């Protein structure tokens, strides 16, 4: 079923609570609705598919059509003594799926607890937190290919999962595939992933045999609550910037500026990954407010809309000020993780 609304208010469809509208909003409940909806749109009209709107900044009203999947349902594809393979509708809320998996004792998604957004977007964005990424447990993505106009399934090996990216975000493929379901392989045998420093600290000394997915979930939610704004009360889009990967020369430059190597960094294949939170924090941005946009006081990677009245331009102004100040101090250009529409 397709529900079509015109001159539609998108405030409830973006967690930043930007008061923007689209000319037309189409929400659908079946995969078969996708080709039909697309066939109703004129070639010169822009369209964009949203998920939970948790990683988006609408920069103005959208003059085209916004699609939203309301495809629900979880189907067990196969099961062994140790594993379970499930196919989940793109419109399911990610955290509800995670809670369900934890209720049944299935391992694999619990570290993503509390993450906002929907199942379809989890594959596009390869959402990650606390040492895991959605792509670690995704085995297949079901989509409608808008170019060849056919339903296809894409195996994990072809999804090009990387840090906050996938095939579905590549510039030449962006918007081509409309995802309607995602398949996850979860473990029925104990498989806690608790190496992430904040988690390891909470579980130190505990016998891993006593840990359940729900125990990990509860810890993750408690860590998130201590650092991130409550999405129900404080509008934001989570991490606004990506953690940059810098060259050895840029790394040495930071060592000179700071006068030591005692700053958070992780060696990666092509250089060093530096937490953007640390760079922004060092430039003094925690809690700074400009107009109606503010840097979250506990995690400066997050820009908030504290009074729900910030305009897109106020968010962009703060974003640019942060980028410029980090560039001036460290010579590193931060890139937004949040997609600007
Ligand atoms: N740090 C500071 N000052 C701060 C906060 C952090 O210096 O105020 C430094 C600390 O050294 C800390 C390091 O930054 O050890 C990393 O911080 P954290 O462990 O909180 O992780 P992050 O790299 O800032 C990433 C994700 C988050 C995810 C957390 C936990 C990105 C862009 N962000 O943040 O994702 O929850 O790890 O895994 O990769 C999101 O995408 O919306 C999101 C919240």
């Amino acid at each position: 079923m397709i529900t079509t609304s015109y001159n539609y208010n998108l405030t409830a469809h973006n967690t930043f609570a930007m008061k923007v509208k689209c000319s037309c909003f189409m929400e659908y409940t079946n995969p078969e609705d996708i080709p039909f909806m697309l066939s109703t749109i004129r070639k010169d009209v822009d369209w964009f598919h949203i998920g939970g709107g948790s990683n988006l900044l609408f920069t103005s009203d959208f003059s085209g059509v916004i699609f939203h999947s309301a495809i629900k349902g979880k189907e067990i594809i196969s099961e062994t003594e140790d594993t379970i393979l499930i196919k989940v509708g793109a419109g399911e809320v990610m955290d509800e799926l995670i809670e369900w998996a934890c209720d049944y004792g299935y391992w694999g998604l619990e570290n993503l607890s509390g993450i906002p957004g929907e199942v379809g977007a989890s594959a596009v964005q390869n959402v990650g937190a606390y040492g895991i990424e959605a792509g670690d447990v995704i085995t297949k993505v079901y989509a409608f290919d808008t170019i060849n106009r056919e339903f296809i399934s894409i195996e994990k090996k072809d999804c090009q999962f990387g840090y906050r990216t996938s095939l579905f975000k590549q510039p030449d493929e962006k918007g081509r595939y409309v995802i309607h379901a995602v398949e996850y392989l979860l473990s029925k045998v104990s498989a806690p992933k608790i190496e992430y420093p904040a988690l390891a600290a909470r579980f130190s000394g505990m016998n891993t045999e006593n840990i359940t997915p729900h125990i990990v979930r509860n810890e993750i939610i408690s860590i998130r609550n201590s650092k991130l704004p409550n999405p129900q009360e404080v509008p934001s889009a989570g991490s606004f910037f990506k953690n940059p990967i810098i060259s050895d020369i840029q790394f040495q430059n930071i060592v000179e500026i700071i006068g030591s190597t005692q700053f958070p960094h992780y060696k990666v294949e092509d250089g060093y990954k530096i937490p953007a939170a640390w760079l922004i924090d060092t430039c003094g941005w925690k809690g700074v407010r400009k107009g109606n946009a503010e840097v979250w006081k506990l995690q400066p990677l997050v820009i908030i809309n504290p009074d729900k009245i910030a305009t897109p331009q106020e968010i962009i102004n703060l974003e640019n000020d942060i980028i410029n100040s980090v560039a001036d101090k460290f010579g590193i250009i931060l890139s937004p993780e949040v997609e600007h529409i």
Side-chain angles (χ1 to χ4, degrees):
M1 192 181 78
I2 303 170
T3 311
T4 306
S5 314
Y6 296 96
N7 199 24
Y8 186 82
N9 183 344
L10 291 165
T11 312
H13 286 277
N14 74 100
T15 60
F16 242 134
M18 292 293 107
K19 293 187 177 61
V20 290
K21 286 180 177 173
C22 59
S23 305
C24 178
F25 184 80
M26 291 175 118
E27 191 167 62
Y28 60 98
T29 53
N30 294 303
E32 295 72 32
D33 295 331
I34 300 168
F36 177 75
M37 287 187 316
L38 289 167
S39 72
T40 64
I41 296 181
R42 283 203 327 260
K43 287 266 177 301
D44 59 332
V45 172
D46 279 343
W47 61 268
F48 184 74
H49 201 299
I50 59 167
S54 58
N55 199 44
L56 296 181
L57 176 64
F58 282 108
T59 55
S60 62
D61 286 343
F62 188 78
S63 60
V65 183
I66 297 283
F67 292 126
H68 181 242
S69 167
I71 299 176
K72 303 282 184 191
K74 304 176 203 76
E75 185 190 338
I76 296 174
I77 302 289
S78 63
E79 204 168 348
T80 68
E81 214 170 290
D82 297 343
T83 61
I84 182 159
L85 189 65
I86 50 167
K87 181 178 172 186
V88 186
E92 287 279 354
V93 172
M94 197 63 198
D95 194 50
E96 290 174 7
L97 168 68
I98 298 169
E99 186 171 35
W100 172 88
C102 290
D103 284 347
Y104 282 91
Y106 303 146
W107 293 88
L109 288 168
E110 60 286 347
N111 288 32
L112 299 178
S113 290
I115 211 148
E118 293 168 3
V119 160
S122 79
V124 176
Q125 174 73 357
N126 188 18
V127 294
Y130 303 103
I132 83 145
E133 292 178 338
D136 298 342
V137 282
I138 291 175
T139 44
K140 206 184 268 184
V141 171
Y142 295 84
F144 180 74
D145 177 349
T146 61
I147 291 187
N148 293 339
R149 303 198 81 80
E150 61 182 2
F151 283 99
I152 56 166
S153 61
I154 304 165
E155 299 290 331
K156 177 207 192 97
K157 66 176 172 36
D158 299 319
C159 286
Q160 298 176 28
F161 289 126
Y163 171 57
R164 297 296 197 277
T165 189
S166 71
L167 163 74
F168 313 103
K169 283 184 92 170
Q170 299 311 311
D172 47 344
E173 299 284 22
K174 211 167 160 295
R176 171 170 178 178
Y177 303 106
V178 178
I179 295 172
H180 62 85
V182 178
E183 197 179 82
Y184 301 91
L185 183 67
L186 304 180
S187 173
K188 288 161 76 176
V189 290
S190 175
K193 292 237 165 54
I194 50 174
E195 298 80 27
Y196 196 89
L199 266 181
R202 294 203 178 199
F203 285 108
S204 80
M206 189 167 169
N207 183 348
T208 49
E209 279 171 23
N210 298 330
I211 300 175
T212 64
H214 256 303
I215 292 177
V216 177
R217 174 175 167 78
N218 290 341
E219 288 299 334
I220 297 277
I221 290 173
S222 140
I223 295 170
R224 286 185 79 94
N225 288 347
S226 70
K227 293 211 277 192
L228 298 171
N230 178 343
Q232 263 76 50
E233 287 159 21
V234 186
S236 85
S239 296
F240 198 96
F241 299 99
K242 288 193 218 173
N243 290 333
I245 292 172
I246 61 168
S247 65
D248 291 357
I249 294 167
Q250 285 175 307
F251 182 82
Q252 285 311 324
N253 188 34
I254 302 185
V255 176
E256 267 168 42
I257 295 164
I258 298 295
S260 102
T261 52
Q262 298 304 303
F263 58 88
H265 59 271
Y266 314 92
K267 185 83 191 93
V268 290
E269 210 179 307
D270 34 359
Y272 293 88
K273 194 174 208 179
I274 310 289
W278 178 78
L279 296 168
I280 299 168
D281 194 4
T282 308
C283 291
W285 282 103
K286 246 182 200 168
V288 174
R289 181 171 178 139
K290 292 226 160 168
N292 291 302
E294 193 172 308
V295 179
W296 180 240
K297 55 183 187 280
L298 302 174
Q299 167 50 293
L301 200 48
V302 180
I303 295 180
I304 61 168
N305 172 12
D307 302 318
K308 305 184 174 109
I309 51 171
T311 60
Q313 197 53 52
E314 285 178 305
I315 305 286
I316 292 167
N317 291 345
L318 182 53
E319 169 189 1
N320 288 335
D321 288 351
I322 292 171
I323 290 174
N324 290 336
S325 97
V326 170
D328 287 348
K329 188 168 174 75
F330 294 107
I332 296 170
I333 310 290
L334 292 179
S335 349
E337 180 191 311
V338 168
E339 188 170 3
H340 294 48
I341 310 296

